[in-house]
């Protein structure tokens, strides 16, 4: 090639290179090509929200921001909610371009929220609970003090807000990018060479929000951040000035600043100033805005401004290594901050006076923060309960995580009514408020009694078209505990309502079985004298001209029972006597209707006995034949079950006695109550130590009797006589329960064994202990135990009946006393039963959460609402009508008669009220061997009224007091009844306002 050609190509290459260089420099300065490229790439990248589930939605894969706000977990939330009866009613639809960008690995561009959190709203859309994370933030760029803007740009991105070019790409700073690229190249050659980052504020935001763990793990991650930031910058066109100002706000509001114990993760300058310096965000902004117009500051004002500025500047610097700087002693952070103060003064960004005032000031990290104000649990009771319900729905157990979700929950609660009831209940701790509510008097609070220790709870539902709507859930316990749902309480005679419903259900079943039979067929039915209820039903149907169910139920309400407390009842494995609340009832014989209206205990004890006996001996039961036929093979099966059950009960008791004791201590405790003799000691020893030697036996005899056996022959005789006895016989000789002997020996061989292990290991011994019971000569003893088991099965049937109607516990106390409250209950469960009655025997779903709205105004927006669950009929309408009449009679002429006429509608007409009262008195009594009470401890006292107001509202109201105060009070169910009388007229107008449920 000639020199001319070479010169030509070199010249051409230089020209092309120069042209490209000029073009590159021009592009870096003007961003003309970038702006057009990113604008076109983002064109059509949008989303909309429409009805129904979307097939054009994508969820983020990772990133701290997306995980914290719940966007990453939304598919799991949706699946979990779907299984609990929720369905998507609205959801975002991403445009094809937006889906394409996401699938190419970019972070979806949209207007991201700087603050989000859980919002719980009432039926009028008023906020019951609203958490915002971070708590302190700037709303607009104009709210940020210019001094802070200058500091941030100087530290992180000096050309971000340059006016020219208007289309500048905030994702790339040419100078920093070139410097970072050069340093990275040098570092590739020499590992000892350090390299700074080239990130702008825009790419940093993408990194800490959306990159895995908020970090840049590779060059590809960095390119993804830059591309995503560029795409986001040109969403609104080529002019990025407004977007660049917003980047300043976004960064200051959300930059991660480590985590502080007791507060969790800290995000944003506002929360950072509070967490790390204890500074009020508003005060700092005011101080930094002072002197904005150049007016001179006093020395003290300058010092305060300098301190605030230095603290804010230090946090901007600390974000690069937040844990290192903020969780350490602060020395290194202080040096860096002072260095930047000097540099900023040299650059003319701050005055020398501000620099000089700030430099001597120390950075005192992690000051003692003022204690977080204790929540008012009374006012927040319903919101707390709803938050717990949402937590359960989503499977997010920690309130910390739940309150950071971008989630709005719409509830059925009436916030105004809730606040009013909470205020009233809280006020009742003062004598003046209790007196104003009429709570002092006969069967109420005694004159001079302190109302302070009393707990009141109130739950109210409104009957909706397709569901029961929770309107109020309040109590005056200043704790997060919810007495309506969280306790097993003795609610006394409210159990009579459950018993009455079960009774009328049985009558309806007998009617369904026999109503179509002819008189001859009815007469031919086997009549068991142990089944009074079945006998009555047959006789009624034989005599009745009208065999419809409703008249039969009314006749069942007129059946009579004695209220005499003189009879002893064998129930629950023992002999019990019961008393009436009013002694004036003791000599009466009254109908079920009257007994229910006046809450007479003995009527319902005898009614429960009839229910249990019907389950035992009526219908398809053949318990009578089982008891009469000693050869029935089922007897042995039931007796084995009895042995296992009772033996397990004894072992539980013995395990508690010997738990946590050494072998020597257990043996000493066992022998402590033993009247020693050689046969008894030998029986004990060969049970707990089967391999014990003769020498060990002799040692025990000397220790307990003061003398040995006397000879080896005597020792051998004791061994041969007692070592070979059965476990039951050794227990008989020793006068110690055989299972207690066995347990002490087992724990010697298996120290630390759990109760479960004890029960698993003792199955054979439990049967062996009761071997005598299986012998046919003990038929009387067998029958007694068989009757106990058959009664247990009968109570299990009663329990299933109660549980089907909302009874909340897994078992029922197998005693007639369950009819008067011995099995306990919960106010919320009683409200559920009342809801079934108000809805004519149909269980409607209970609505607490009407909608869950995730990510509003985001590409992940999803709204879920409960599906229209099908109503379930649980009771015949005739049974419900009979029970409701009985409930109204309780108010009109029974134990709740003080409520009669107390509520009126808008036309002044009295609203019909029905309900059931109940008083629970939970005591612990200690008796002697003869059954006499030698001491008594009153654990708690409760009074409850479960009610319905017209055909629209229902619920429960309760008063409760626990030890050590319970013994001071004698109130009855008149107390909550009076409280409802006082509360109702205030509450109804609030409930009936338009906007919630009042516009029905």
């Amino acid at each position: 090639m000639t020199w001319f050609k070479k010169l030509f190509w070199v010249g051409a290459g230089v020209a092309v290179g120069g042209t490209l260089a000029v073009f590159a420099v021009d592009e870096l300065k003007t961003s003309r090509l970038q702006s057009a490229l990113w604008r076109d790439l983002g064109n059509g990248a949008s989303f909309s929200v429409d009805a129904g589930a979307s097939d054009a939605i994508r969820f983020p894969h990772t990133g701290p921001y997306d995980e914290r706000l719940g966007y990453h977990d939304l598919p799991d939330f949706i699946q979990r909610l779907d299984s609990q009866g929720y369905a998507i009613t609205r959801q975002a639809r991403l445009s094809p371009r937006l889906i394409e960008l996401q699938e190419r690995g970019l972070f979806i561009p949209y207007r991201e929220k700087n603050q989000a959190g859980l919002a719980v709203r009432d039926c009028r859309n008023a906020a019951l609970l609203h958490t915002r994370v971070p708590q302190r933030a700037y709303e607009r760029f104009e709210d940020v003090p210019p001094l802070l803007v200058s500091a941030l740009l100087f530290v992180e991105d000096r050309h971000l807000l340059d006016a020219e070019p208007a289309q500048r790409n905030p994702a790339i700073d040419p100078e920093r990018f070139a410097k970072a690229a050069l340093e990275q190249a040098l570092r590739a050659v020499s590992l000892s060479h350090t390299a700074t980052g080239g990130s702008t504020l825009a790419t940093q935001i993408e990194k800490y929000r959306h990159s895995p763990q908020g970090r840049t793990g590779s060059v590809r991650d960095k390119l993804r951040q830059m591309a995503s930031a560029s795409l986001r910058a040109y969403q609104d066109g080529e002019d990025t000035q407004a977007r660049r100002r917003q980047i300043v706000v976004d960064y200051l509001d959300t930059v991660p600043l480590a985590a502080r114990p007791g507060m969790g993760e800290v995000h944003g300058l506002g929360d950072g100033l509070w967490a790390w310096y204890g500074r009020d965000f508003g005060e700092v902004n005011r101080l930094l805005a002072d002197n904005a117009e150049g007016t001179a500051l006093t020395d003290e004002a300058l010092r305060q401004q300098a301190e605030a500025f230095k603290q804010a500047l230090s946090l901007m610097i600390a974000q690069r290594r937040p844990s290192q700087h903020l969780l350490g002693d602060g020395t290194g952070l202080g040096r860096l901050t002072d260095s930047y103060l000097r540099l900023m003064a040299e650059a003319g960004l701050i005055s020398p006076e501000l620099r000089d005032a700030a430099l001597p000031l120390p950075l005192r990290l992690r000051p003692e923060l003022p204690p977080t104000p204790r929540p008012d649990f009374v006012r927040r009771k319903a919101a707390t309960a709803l938050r717990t319900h949402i937590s359960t729905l989503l499977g997010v157990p920690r309130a910390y995580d739940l309150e950071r979700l971008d989630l709005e929950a719409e509830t059925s609660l009436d916030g105004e009514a809730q606040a009013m009831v909470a205020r009233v209940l809280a006020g009742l701790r003062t004598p003046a408020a209790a007196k104003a509510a009429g709570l002092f008097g006969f069967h109420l609070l005694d004159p001079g009694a302190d109302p302070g220790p009393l707990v009141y709870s109130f739950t109210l539902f409104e009957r909706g078209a397709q569901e029961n709507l929770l309107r109020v859930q309040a109590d005056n316990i200043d704790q997060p505990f919810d007495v309506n749902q969280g306790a097993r309480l003795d609610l006394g005679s409210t159990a009579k309502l459950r018993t009455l419903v079960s009774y009328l259900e049985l009558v309806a079943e007998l009617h369904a079985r026999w109503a179509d039979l002819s008189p001859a067929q009815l007469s031919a039915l086997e009549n068991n004298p142990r089944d009074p209820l079945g006998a009555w039903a047959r006789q009624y149907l034989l005599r009745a001209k009208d065999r419809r169910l409703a008249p039969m139920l009314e006749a069942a309400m007129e059946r009579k029972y004695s209220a005499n407390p003189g009879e002893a009842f064998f129930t629950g494995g023992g002999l019990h006597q019961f008393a009436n609340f009013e002694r004036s009832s003791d000599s009466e014989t009254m109908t079920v209707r009257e007994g229910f209206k006046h809450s007479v205990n003995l009527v319902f004890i005898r009614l429960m006995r009839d229910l249990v006996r019907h389950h035992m001996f009526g219908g398809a039961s053949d318990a009578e034949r089982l008891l009469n036929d000693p050869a029935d093979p089922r007897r042995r099966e039931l007796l084995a079950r009895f042995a296992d059950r009772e033996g397990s009960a004894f072992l539980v008791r013995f395990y508690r006695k010997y738990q946590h004791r050494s072998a020597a201590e257990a043996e000493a405790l066992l022998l402590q109550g033993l009247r020693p003799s050689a046969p008894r000691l030998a029986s004990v020893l060969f049970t707990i130590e089967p391999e014990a030697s003769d020498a060990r036996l002799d040692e025990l005899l000397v220790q307990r009797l003061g003398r040995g056996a006397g000879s080896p022959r005597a020792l051998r005789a004791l061994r041969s006589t007692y070592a070979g006895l059965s476990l039951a016989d050794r227990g008989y000789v020793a006068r110690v329960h055989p299972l207690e002997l066995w347990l002490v020996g087992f724990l010697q061989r298996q120290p630390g064994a759990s109760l479960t292990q004890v029960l698993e290991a003792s199955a054979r011994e439990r049967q062996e202990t009761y071997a005598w019971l299986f012998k046919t000569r003990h038929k009387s003893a067998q029958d007694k135990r068989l009757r106990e088991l058959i009664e247990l099965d009968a109570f299990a049937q009663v329990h299933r009946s109660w549980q089907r109607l909302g009874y909340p516990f897994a078992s029922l106390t197998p005693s007639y006393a369950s009819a008067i409250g011995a099995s306990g209950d919960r106010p919320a469960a009683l409200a559920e039963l009342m809801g079934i009655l108000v809805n004519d025997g149909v269980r409607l779903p209970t609505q607490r959460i009407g909608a869950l709205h995730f990510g509003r105004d985001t590409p992940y927006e999803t709204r879920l609402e409960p599906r229209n669950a099908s109503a379930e009929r649980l009771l015949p309408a005739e049974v419900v009508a009979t029970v409701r009449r009985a409930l109204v009679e309780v108010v009109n002429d029974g134990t709740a008669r003080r409520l009669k006429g107390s509520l009126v509608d808008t036309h002044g007409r009295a609203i019909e009220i029905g309900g059931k009262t109940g008083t629970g008195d939970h005591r612990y009594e200690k008796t002697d061997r003869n059954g006499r009470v030698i001491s008594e401890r009153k654990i708690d006292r409760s009074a409850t009224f479960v009610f319905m107001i017209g055909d629209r509202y229902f619920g429960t109201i309760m008063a409760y007091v626990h030890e050590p105060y319970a013994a001071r009070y004698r109130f009855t169910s008149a107390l909550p009844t009076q409280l409802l009388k006082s509360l109702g007229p205030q509450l109804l107008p609030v409930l009936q306002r338009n906007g919630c449920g009042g516009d029905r």
Side-chain angles (χ1 to χ4, degrees):
M1 181 180 293
T2 66
W3 66 270
F4 179 78
K5 287 184 178 180
K6 290 181 180 178
L7 183 63
F8 173 80
W9 287 112
V10 169
V14 170
V16 171
T19 303
L20 289 174
V22 170
F23 177 80
V25 170
D26 180 72
E27 177 59 27
L28 289 172
K29 287 182 178 180
T30 65
S31 301
R32 289 191 187 95
L33 182 61
Q34 295 178 70
S35 61
L37 172 68
W38 293 113
R39 179 201 63 202
D40 293 343
L41 188 62
N43 187 33
S46 61
F47 65 91
S48 61
V49 180
D50 291 309
S54 169
D55 58 359
I57 188 168
R58 303 292 186 272
F59 298 103
H61 300 301
T62 185
Y65 177 87
D66 301 305
E67 292 169 0
R68 185 172 68 251
L69 273 64
Y71 306 147
H72 171 267
D73 294 321
L74 247 177
D76 293 335
F77 292 155
I78 293 170
Q79 183 177 7
R80 186 180 177 92
L81 289 166
D82 178 74
S83 68
Q84 297 177 83
Y86 283 77
I88 295 173
T89 56
R90 290 180 63 79
Q91 196 168 37
R93 270 82 171 157
L94 276 60
S95 68
R97 174 55 62 88
L98 199 57
I99 292 175
E100 179 187 1
L101 293 172
Q102 197 262 2
E103 290 178 345
R104 288 180 178 272
L106 298 183
F107 307 132
I108 293 181
Y110 68 99
R111 301 285 182 195
E112 293 179 338
K113 301 176 181 180
N114 290 344
Q115 286 181 298
L118 175 66
V120 179
R121 303 187 183 280
D122 77 349
C123 57
R124 293 185 175 90
N125 204 36
L128 297 169
L129 173 70
H130 194 186
T131 59
R132 291 165 65 86
V133 180
Q135 294 182 34
R136 305 156 186 87
Y138 295 110
E139 295 291 335
R140 305 173 304 136
F141 177 79
E142 291 73 18
D143 297 336
V144 185
L147 198 56
L148 276 187
V149 176
S150 298
L152 177 63
L153 298 185
F154 184 79
V155 173
E156 292 294 343
D157 199 345
R158 298 184 183 184
H159 300 292
L160 176 66
L161 297 184
D162 289 356
E164 293 296 334
Q167 65 269 34
R168 179 186 183 88
N169 185 355
I172 301 176
D173 183 328
E175 294 178 14
R176 293 187 69 183
F177 185 76
K179 181 182 177 183
L182 178 60
E183 289 181 347
Q184 290 289 347
L186 292 173
R187 189 183 183 194
V189 176
S190 172
L191 294 177
S192 62
H193 191 91
T194 59
T196 58
S199 295
T200 62
L201 289 180
T203 56
Q204 286 188 55
I205 292 171
E206 299 295 332
K207 175 188 70 174
Y208 67 66
R209 282 187 172 181
H210 304 298
S211 290
Q213 300 180 351
R215 299 177 180 178
T216 304
S218 64
V219 173
R220 183 176 181 179
D221 280 351
K222 175 59 68 179
L223 293 175
R224 180 185 294 115
Q225 295 161 12
M226 294 172 65
S228 299
S230 300
L231 195 61
R232 205 181 300 273
Y234 294 101
Q235 275 183 288
D236 297 326
E238 294 186 18
D239 187 339
T240 61
Q241 292 181 91
R243 174 61 193 154
R244 284 182 275 149
R245 288 192 292 270
Q246 185 60 40
I247 287 171
V248 172
V249 176
D250 293 349
Y251 185 87
L252 289 174
D253 281 351
T254 63
V255 59
L257 294 170
R260 182 166 182 184
M263 297 184 65
E265 294 178 336
V266 179
H267 294 273
L269 184 67
D271 281 7
L273 286 165
W274 172 253
W276 300 114
Y277 293 112
R279 297 303 300 265
D280 179 77
F281 189 46
E283 181 193 18
V284 169
N285 286 317
R286 180 184 58 77
L287 288 170
L288 297 183
D290 283 351
N291 198 30
E293 299 178 0
T295 55
L297 295 175
T298 65
D299 290 345
E300 177 58 23
L302 180 61
R303 189 199 67 78
Q304 291 180 4
Q305 185 185 67
E307 181 180 38
F309 179 68
K310 185 171 185 177
Q311 290 167 343
L313 178 62
S314 73
L315 292 179
M316 296 176 189
I317 297 166
Q319 65 82 24
R320 296 174 180 176
R321 292 184 178 87
S323 296
Q324 175 183 323
H325 287 311
L326 298 174
L327 297 178
D329 60 11
T331 304
L333 180 61
R335 285 198 300 267
L336 279 172
T337 306
D338 289 345
S339 175
Y340 271 95
L341 286 168
R342 295 186 183 97
L343 292 171
M344 290 183 71
E346 290 175 10
L349 296 174
I350 62 172
S351 67
E353 292 79 12
L354 181 60
R355 174 200 62 197
D356 294 341
L359 283 173
L361 297 174
L363 293 175
R364 295 189 176 91
L365 288 167
R366 303 184 301 281
E368 182 88 16
L369 295 177
T372 303
R374 187 176 184 276
D376 186 339
F377 290 109
V378 173
R379 290 180 56 194
R380 294 183 55 178
K381 186 61 54 101
T384 301
L386 290 168
R387 185 181 65 183
T388 301
H389 185 59
I390 296 168
S391 173
T392 303
L393 285 173
L394 300 181
V396 180
R398 294 200 312 167
Y400 176 86
D401 298 322
L402 184 70
E403 292 180 352
R404 280 156 175 74
L405 298 178
D406 183 10
L407 171 62
E408 299 172 31
E410 299 173 13
T411 76
S412 63
L413 208 75
D414 187 324
E416 293 181 30
Q418 173 74 24
M420 190 272 282
V421 173
R423 185 172 60 251
V424 170
L425 297 187
L428 293 177
R429 294 191 182 277
T430 66
K435 184 177 180 181
L439 302 187
F440 288 94
F442 183 63
H443 285 168
L444 304 170
L445 298 179
D446 293 335
D450 178 12
L454 267 71
V455 169
Y456 296 96
S457 79
F458 181 77
T459 304
L460 184 77
F461 290 87
E462 181 175 2
R463 176 187 179 186
Q466 296 179 325
E467 63 276 309
N468 295 323
L469 305 168
L470 176 67
R471 293 304 189 203
V472 179
Q473 183 171 329
D475 62 47
N476 65 340
I477 303 178
D478 196 15
Q479 296 289 339
F481 178 74
D482 180 8
V483 73
N484 287 290
Q485 295 178 305
R488 183 171 191 156
L489 301 173
D490 180 353
L491 301 183
S493 291
T494 56
K496 292 178 179 134
L497 174 57
R498 293 196 186 276
T499 305
L500 180 67
V501 172
S502 293
Y503 166 58
L504 294 176
E505 270 194 288
L506 276 184
V507 172
E509 289 175 13
L510 291 170
H511 176 271
R513 193 184 308 161
W514 294 338
D516 294 332
L517 298 183
S518 67
Q521 290 172 313
L522 281 171
S523 300
L525 291 174
E526 183 180 353
N527 186 20
N528 191 326
R530 301 199 204 198
D531 177 22
L533 182 56
W536 171 84
R538 280 189 295 273
Q539 289 302 311
Y540 172 84
L541 291 171
L542 280 169
R543 297 191 306 268
K545 295 180 180 178
D546 184 351
R547 284 194 174 188
R548 289 180 301 118
L549 176 57
M552 186 173 180
L553 292 171
E554 287 300 314
M557 293 293 289
E558 298 302 320
R559 290 182 66 229
K560 292 186 175 181
Y561 288 93
S562 169
N564 189 339
E567 181 182 358
F569 298 83
F570 189 86
T571 180
L575 203 61
H576 301 274
Q577 283 191 287
F578 303 97
N580 294 311
F581 184 76
E582 297 286 353
R583 292 187 177 181
S584 58
S585 305
D586 290 357
S587 59
E588 295 187 32
T589 297
M590 58 182 65
T591 64
V592 173
R593 188 188 308 280
E594 289 294 311
F596 185 77
K597 183 165 60 176
H598 298 293
S599 202
V600 180
N601 286 346
L602 268 297
V603 169
F604 274 80
I605 291 293
R606 292 183 168 96
L607 179 59
M608 178 62 88
R609 180 173 62 182
D610 277 3
L611 300 187
V612 170
R613 286 182 172 177
H614 177 74
H615 285 303
M616 291 173 69
F617 302 109
S621 172
D622 59 351
E624 191 70 31
R625 194 184 74 176
L626 179 68
L627 291 172
N628 292 334
D629 184 3
D632 192 315
R634 291 173 301 162
R635 289 174 67 92
R636 185 171 186 85
E637 178 184 335
L638 284 175
L639 290 172
R641 179 178 147 202
F642 174 84
D644 186 74
R645 176 177 173 274
E646 185 169 279
S648 296
F650 275 113
L651 280 169
V652 169
R653 193 172 79 191
F654 297 145
Y655 182 80
R656 291 172 182 159
K657 179 178 178 181
Y658 293 102
Q659 189 180 15
H660 307 310
R661 296 184 184 272
S662 67
E665 290 171 339
E667 182 179 312
L669 181 60
L670 175 66
L671 296 173
Q672 183 178 339
L674 188 72
R675 187 173 180 179
S677 68
R680 290 178 181 174
L681 292 171
S683 296
V684 169
L685 181 63
F686 292 131
T687 304
I688 65 176
E689 297 182 36
E691 305 301 324
S693 65
D694 289 352
R696 172 76 174 97
L697 176 59
D698 203 46
E699 178 188 343
L700 181 62
L701 294 176
V702 171
Q703 180 185 349
R704 291 290 169 176
L705 296 177
R707 64 182 186 280
S711 68
R713 182 178 178 182
L715 287 171
R716 287 194 298 272
L718 286 171
R719 174 182 293 280
S720 63
T721 302
Y722 299 106
L725 293 179
S726 68
L727 175 62
D729 288 341
R730 287 199 298 273
Y732 176 78
V733 172
R735 298 296 189 266
V736 176
H737 196 289
L739 291 174
E740 185 173 6
L741 287 177
W742 176 87
L743 177 67
V744 173
F746 179 78
L747 291 178
Q748 283 195 9
R749 296 185 295 276
Q750 300 284 338
S754 67
L755 178 59
T756 301
Q757 291 171 320
V758 167
L759 293 174
E760 288 176 352
S762 61
R764 181 174 60 83
E765 283 74 13
R766 293 200 296 272
Q767 296 299 314
E768 183 181 341
T769 298
Y770 290 88
W772 64 271
L773 187 60
F774 293 89
K775 298 174 182 177
T776 55
R777 68 173 180 269
H778 296 296
K779 183 177 182 300
S780 176
Q782 289 179 353
D783 288 349
K784 176 184 175 183
R785 287 156 177 81
L786 289 173
R787 276 192 296 270
E788 286 185 36
L789 286 177
I790 296 168
E791 185 187 64
L792 275 177
D793 289 340
F795 274 107
Q797 293 183 65
V798 174
H799 174 250
R800 284 193 289 273
S801 167
W802 286 23
Q803 203 170 40
R804 190 169 52 86
L805 300 175
Y807 185 69
F809 303 116
S811 62
L812 193 69
T813 302
S815 165
Y816 301 155
S818 288
I820 58 174
S823 289
D825 216 323
R826 283 181 178 152
L830 281 172
E832 181 180 353
L833 171 60
M834 189 59 77
I836 294 168
L837 298 174
V838 168
N839 287 293
D840 297 320
V842 173
R843 173 186 277 138
L844 296 180
T846 297
Q847 185 192 104
R848 290 177 171 84
I849 307 298
L852 291 167
H853 200 140
F854 294 90
R856 185 187 291 274
D857 299 325
T858 73
Y860 318 116
E861 182 169 349
T862 302
R863 179 183 175 87
L864 298 103
E865 298 179 14
R867 296 188 192 92
N868 291 329
S870 57
E872 180 185 8
R873 174 160 293 283
L874 298 177
L875 294 171
E878 295 88 346
V879 168
V880 174
T882 304
V883 174
R884 289 184 62 167
R885 281 192 292 272
L887 292 169
V888 170
E889 289 171 0
V890 169
V891 173
N892 287 344
D893 190 31
T895 53
R897 54 188 172 273
R898 69 177 61 233
L899 269 174
K900 183 178 180 180
S902 61
L903 298 177
V904 296
D905 62 18
T906 53
H907 302 291
R909 296 186 296 253
I911 299 174
E912 186 176 74
I913 305 173
K916 182 68 190 80
T917 57
T919 304
D921 193 13
H922 186 194
R923 301 168 184 249
Y924 176 77
E925 295 179 343
K926 190 173 182 179
T927 58
D928 60 17
R929 292 183 177 181
N930 298 317
R932 291 191 299 267
V933 177
I934 57 176
S935 67
E936 180 183 74
R937 193 173 105 231
K938 200 168 184 178
I939 297 173
D940 58 52
R941 186 173 184 85
S942 68
T944 309
F945 183 58
V946 53
F947 60 85
M948 59 181 186
I949 300 174
D951 62 353
R952 184 169 178 180
Y953 298 107
F954 61 92
T956 57
I957 187 167
M958 183 186 75
Y960 170 80
V961 62
H962 198 268
E963 63 179 348
Y965 309 104
R968 305 177 189 175
Y969 298 89
R970 299 182 297 171
F971 60 80
T972 70
S973 55
L975 186 64
T977 306
Q978 174 61 34
L979 178 55
L980 183 60
K981 180 180 180 180
S982 169
L983 184 63
Q986 305 173 61
L987 180 61
L988 271 184
V990 178
L991 291 168
Q992 293 172 346
R993 288 179 192 162
N994 290 344
C996 196
D999 52 355
R1000 271 185 31 160

